[in-house]
């Protein structure tokens, strides 16, 4: 990391002496959010008003660029358990206060090759296996070297080596919720554009060296493939589809010995201004022991299996998620650019032993005015065999300057 920062400083200093023009772009975005959580079994509700600000700059010259960005999260009001502070009599709102370096990277980019070194965002495909957890105020980033090569037609090779994961818990992170998790993580993603969609083969090797984080039991090797594409059915209708399969097993220090499968079938029909979607996702189980089901510790898991966050860690008996959703969008009028509504229903069951975990409904309304997005979000989980009834409500404003 220090080498990357020194290189970036050297690049900036060398600018005036070079024939090429140095361009500088400012980076700034902010988010204000109010979150309320009510959870059966806990005596108090959680109320959290937080604000997050990211700011930085990117300097570029020819094929080279250097970027530095910090992020800070401040609790404005409320009473909640942020995972590190506050009373555990209230539900978890995983947005602890934080001021930290979010990104610091050096990048080389040509038409066919892009290499990025330093602290950076990595989000692969739909972020199911590797993502940056953008919904949380303190997003996830990686200390890594990443190479992306597109030098042969529709073929793309994306290769990353990450020696540290900077978590959502921020500078005060500790114990099972540390500020960072060291290890030797390798992400290989090879894709090819075909007439029916993009076909991707991947290998994700997750090696976590922090004993406090589940005793190394989240270290895994995952191999699989994915097909994603879309097809026009008429001038007004388009069908989008995604199919995925993966096989996961233990890796390196993991004391468990297991093998579990992953499946996803996802379909979406756009008939503007309406959108319908449905899917079935399976995170398989082995023999029902803790952390021997299909685990995804580095994914953007909030995007999947419901916003109530009851399944961020896959239960011992796995998960089968049947979901159906619908949405409607309107073009803007006057100063409003767009308005959209979205609803999704989930039915959660186990992969083994035929358990019905519970059902969830997720609702979202959003409005965009230039570079500002206003949103209201609601999640209600009705428990049967897993966890407890939980309701969550968010009001949020995002600015990108």
């Amino acid at each position: 990391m220090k080498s990357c920062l020194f290189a970036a400083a050297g690049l900036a200093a060398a600018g005036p002496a070079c024939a090429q023009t140095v361009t500088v772009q400012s980076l700034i975005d902010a988010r204000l959010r109010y979150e309320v959580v009510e959870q059966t079994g806990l005596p108090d509700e959680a109320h959290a008003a937080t604000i997050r600000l990211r700011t930085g700059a990117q300097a570029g010259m020819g094929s080279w660029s250097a970027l530095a960005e910090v992020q800070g999260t401040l609790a404005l009001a409320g009473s909640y358990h942020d995972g590190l502070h506050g009373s555990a009599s209230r539900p978890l709102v995983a947005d602890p206060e934080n001021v930290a370096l979010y990104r610091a990277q050096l990048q080389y980019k040509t038409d066919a090759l892009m290499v990025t070194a330093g602290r950076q965002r990595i989000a692969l495909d739909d972020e199911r296996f590797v993502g940056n957890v953008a919904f949380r105020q303190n997003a996830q980033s990686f200390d890594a070297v990443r190479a992306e090569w597109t030098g042969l037609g529709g073929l793309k090779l994306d290769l990353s080596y990450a020696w540290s994961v900077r978590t959502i818990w921020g500078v005060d992170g500790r114990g099972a919720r540390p500020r960072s998790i060291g290890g030797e993580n390798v992400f290989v993603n090879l894709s090819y554009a075909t007439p029916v969609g993009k076909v991707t083969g991947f290998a994700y090797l997750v090696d976590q060296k922090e004993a406090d984080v589940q005793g190394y039991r989240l270290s895994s090797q995952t191999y699989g493939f994915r097909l994603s594409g879309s097809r026009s059915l008429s001038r007004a209708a388009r069908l989008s589809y995604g199919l995925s399969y993966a096989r996961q097993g233990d890796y390196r220090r993991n004391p468990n010995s297991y093998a579990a499968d992953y499946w996803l079938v996802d379909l979406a029909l756009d008939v503007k201004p309406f959108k319908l979607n449905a899917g079935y996702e399976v995170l398989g189980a082995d023999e029902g022991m803790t952390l021997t089901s299909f685990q995804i510790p580095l994914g953007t898991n909030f995007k999947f299996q419901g916003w109530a966050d009851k399944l961020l860690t896959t239960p011992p008996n796995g998960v089968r998620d049947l979901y159906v959703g619908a949405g409607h969008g309107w073009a803007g009028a006057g100063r409003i650019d767009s308005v959209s509504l979205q609803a999704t229903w989930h039915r959660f069951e186990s992969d083994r032993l035929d358990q019905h975990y519970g059902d969830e409904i997720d609702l979202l309304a959003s409005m965009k005015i230039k570079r500002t997005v206003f949103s209201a979000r609601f999640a209600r989980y009705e428990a049967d065999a897993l966890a407890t009834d939980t309701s969550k409500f968010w009001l949020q404003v995002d600015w990108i300057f």
Side-chain angles (χ1 to χ4, degrees):
M1 181 58 62
K2 291 181 180 179
S3 299
C4 291
L5 293 175
F6 292 149
L11 175 63
C18 299
Q20 291 177 305
T21 301
V22 176
T23 61
V24 179
Q25 176 186 357
S26 62
L27 305 170
I28 181 168
D29 72 82
R31 175 191 289 158
L32 175 65
R33 181 156 69 208
Y34 177 62
E35 180 171 348
V36 181
V37 185
E38 179 183 359
Q39 183 174 318
T40 298
L42 294 178
D44 302 311
E45 293 183 349
H47 296 262
T50 58
I51 187 168
R52 188 261 290 143
L53 175 67
R54 290 196 191 120
T55 184
Q58 177 173 297
M61 183 177 64
S63 298
W64 292 89
S65 66
L67 179 153
E69 184 178 25
V70 297
Q71 68 177 359
T73 298
L74 177 66
L76 301 178
S79 298
Y80 63 101
H81 177 47
D82 66 12
L84 304 171
H85 316 94
S87 172
S89 68
R90 299 182 186 272
L92 174 68
V93 177
D95 292 321
E97 291 189 301
N98 179 48
V99 177
L101 183 66
Y102 176 50
R103 290 191 292 168
Q105 64 184 50
L106 183 67
Q107 187 175 88
Y108 174 78
K109 183 178 181 180
T110 67
D111 290 341
L113 177 66
M114 182 164 65
V115 179
T116 308
R119 188 162 300 170
Q120 58 188 284
R121 283 194 296 248
I122 300 179
L124 300 177
D125 294 323
D126 60 354
E127 300 187 55
R128 190 50 170 130
F129 299 100
V130 181
N132 76 310
V133 197
F135 181 77
R136 298 268 50 113
Q137 298 287 50
N138 304 314
Q140 177 173 272
S141 59
F142 298 83
D143 292 341
V145 176
R146 182 183 185 186
E148 300 168 75
W149 178 75
T150 55
L152 184 61
L155 187 68
K156 178 180 180 180
L157 174 63
D158 192 328
L159 176 63
S160 301
Y161 169 72
W163 57 89
S164 179
V165 180
R166 311 299 296 192
T167 74
I168 65 171
W169 304 112
V171 293
D172 289 338
R174 58 188 180 273
R177 292 168 172 158
R179 72 169 70 182
S180 64
I181 303 173
E184 297 179 8
N185 306 287
V186 178
F187 312 136
V188 182
N189 192 287
L190 181 64
S191 63
Y192 185 71
T194 74
V196 296
K198 183 171 74 171
V199 178
T200 304
F202 53 82
Y204 302 136
L205 309 180
V206 177
D207 173 29
Q208 299 196 344
K209 293 184 176 180
E210 304 296 333
D212 288 339
V213 182
Q214 303 290 1
Y216 312 119
R217 288 174 174 83
L218 294 178
S219 294
S220 64
Q221 50 185 320
T222 302
Y223 307 92
F225 67 88
R226 171 181 169 82
L227 169 67
S228 61
S230 64
R231 183 171 296 274
S232 179
L233 303 180
S234 69
R235 294 182 63 181
R238 174 169 289 273
L239 177 68
S240 301
Y241 44 86
L243 306 170
S244 296
Y245 169 77
R247 179 78 167 174
Q248 182 180 96
D250 51 284
Y251 186 61
R252 292 277 175 97
R253 295 173 176 79
N254 194 331
N256 290 331
S257 178
Y258 76 100
D261 294 320
Y262 171 88
W263 298 88
L264 172 68
V265 178
D266 182 82
L267 299 173
L269 178 64
D270 281 285
V271 184
K272 292 186 177 180
F274 296 96
K275 181 175 182 178
L276 304 173
N277 71 290
Y280 189 59
E281 185 181 40
V282 178
L283 279 70
D286 189 350
E287 296 183 358
M289 292 176 55
T290 301
L291 298 178
T292 62
S293 50
F294 201 104
Q295 301 296 324
I296 310 180
L298 301 183
T300 301
N301 295 344
F302 179 83
K303 293 175 60 177
F304 303 87
Q305 297 187 339
W307 299 334
D309 284 347
K310 294 301 174 182
L311 296 159
L312 294 180
T313 299
T314 309
N317 290 320
V319 181
R320 297 189 177 195
D321 175 16
L322 173 66
Y323 58 90
V324 179
H328 189 289
W330 293 267
R335 298 181 60 186
I336 299 174
D337 296 327
S338 62
V339 176
S340 65
L341 299 175
Q342 176 185 325
T344 305
W345 172 81
H346 295 264
R347 180 177 177 84
F348 300 117
E349 297 182 338
S350 64
D351 183 52
R352 61 188 298 274
L353 302 186
D354 195 28
Q355 296 174 313
H356 175 228
Y357 289 152
D359 299 322
E360 181 169 328
I361 183 72
D362 297 323
L363 305 174
L364 173 64
S366 62
M367 177 176 65
K368 186 175 186 295
I369 302 176
K370 294 184 178 180
R371 297 189 175 186
T372 303
V373 178
F374 302 87
S375 61
R377 191 185 299 256
F378 174 78
R380 173 63 180 175
Y381 176 79
E382 297 281 355
D384 189 355
L386 179 75
T388 57
D389 295 350
T390 300
S391 296
K392 295 190 177 186
F393 176 70
W394 301 263
L395 288 175
Q396 182 170 308
V397 185
D398 290 272
W399 297 274
I400 302 177
F401 300 97

